[in-house]
Amino acid sequence: MDDHKRLDPRLNPTIENLARAIYVVNRHAKTAPNPKYLYALKKKALLKLVQEGKATKKGLHFSNNPKFSQQQSDVLVLAGEYYFHMPPTKDDFDQLPHLGSLNSTYRNPKTHMSLTKAKILLQNYVGMKEETKPNTHNYRTNKARTYEKPVFKRLGESYR
């Protein structure tokens, strides 16, 4: 089964393909240079799936990595055959059962989709675009470097 050829993100915004795309984006967000955008894309897509009735909120889990060493809960969302966690709202605490600690034996199914295809699919689904900033860290654009001869001093002499 070759997902790269079978999945064209512009043509197939099915529940299963969207869940795969969210999985890929979530997996890459942990090491991405811009993780905030990827996490925002994941959250927006999950919220839209829940609002449309294509995904369901199953309950609350204790977070494995709580902020400031405080106990914290995350919402467990089922989309297709994939489970995801997202931050809870105040209504979630009233409406959802608490499932306790996270079951570390369960794993989502493996999938093969490029991050680019996953981002395109989710961006088209939620209508969100990534803003790119110009590269300001390149020293050659700001000023031209000139060659300076190295200065050699005798042992014990000051460089100043």
Side-chain angles (χ1 to χ4, degrees):
M1 181 163 97
D2 190 9
D3 287 341
H4 292 293
K5 293 182 177 110
R6 191 169 55 88
L7 294 176
D8 186 3
R10 291 176 297 270
L11 301 176
N12 297 329
T14 63
I15 298 169
E16 201 56 42
N17 288 348
L18 289 169
R20 284 184 183 135
I22 293 169
Y23 173 79
V24 169
V25 164
N26 189 45
R27 189 179 64 205
H28 282 81
K30 293 164 180 43
T31 59
N34 186 8
K36 284 185 179 182
Y37 173 73
L38 294 179
Y39 283 126
L41 188 62
K42 169 196 166 189
K43 183 178 178 183
K44 225 174 183 184
L46 282 174
L47 287 174
K48 188 170 179 180
L49 283 170
V50 169
Q51 287 172 351
E52 292 176 349
K54 297 177 181 176
T56 56
K57 292 182 178 182
K58 291 295 184 181
L60 296 163
H61 267 157
F62 287 124
S63 179
N64 280 346
N65 301 312
K67 291 182 183 176
F68 311 117
S69 298
Q70 301 285 323
Q71 196 170 30
Q72 183 178 341
S73 294
D74 294 324
V75 176
L76 181 67
V77 179
L78 174 65
E81 52 185 22
Y82 293 85
Y83 285 96
F84 302 102
H85 284 105
M86 59 187 263
T89 62
K90 288 185 180 183
D91 294 336
D92 292 334
F93 287 104
D94 297 333
Q95 298 171 355
L96 297 174
H98 207 290
L99 306 172
S101 297
L102 177 66
N103 181 2
S104 59
T105 59
Y106 178 79
R107 295 279 182 229
N108 279 327
K110 296 282 185 200
T111 189
H112 300 287
M113 180 189 289
S114 71
L115 178 60
T116 305
K117 284 185 178 186
K119 281 171 59 174
I120 290 169
L121 179 61
L122 294 179
Q123 286 170 348
N124 290 340
Y125 180 65
V126 299
M128 191 172 160
K129 294 292 178 198
E130 184 174 14
E131 293 181 18
T132 55
K133 296 179 184 175
N135 188 1
T136 58
H137 299 294
N138 192 351
Y139 65 89
R140 291 177 191 223
T141 58
N142 295 339
K143 74 175 195 181
R145 288 189 69 177
T146 58
Y147 177 75
E148 293 181 22
K149 281 184 156 183
V151 178
F152 295 104
K153 300 279 185 174
R154 289 188 181 147
L155 187 62
E157 288 184 11
S158 174
Y159 284 100
R160 297 178 203 244

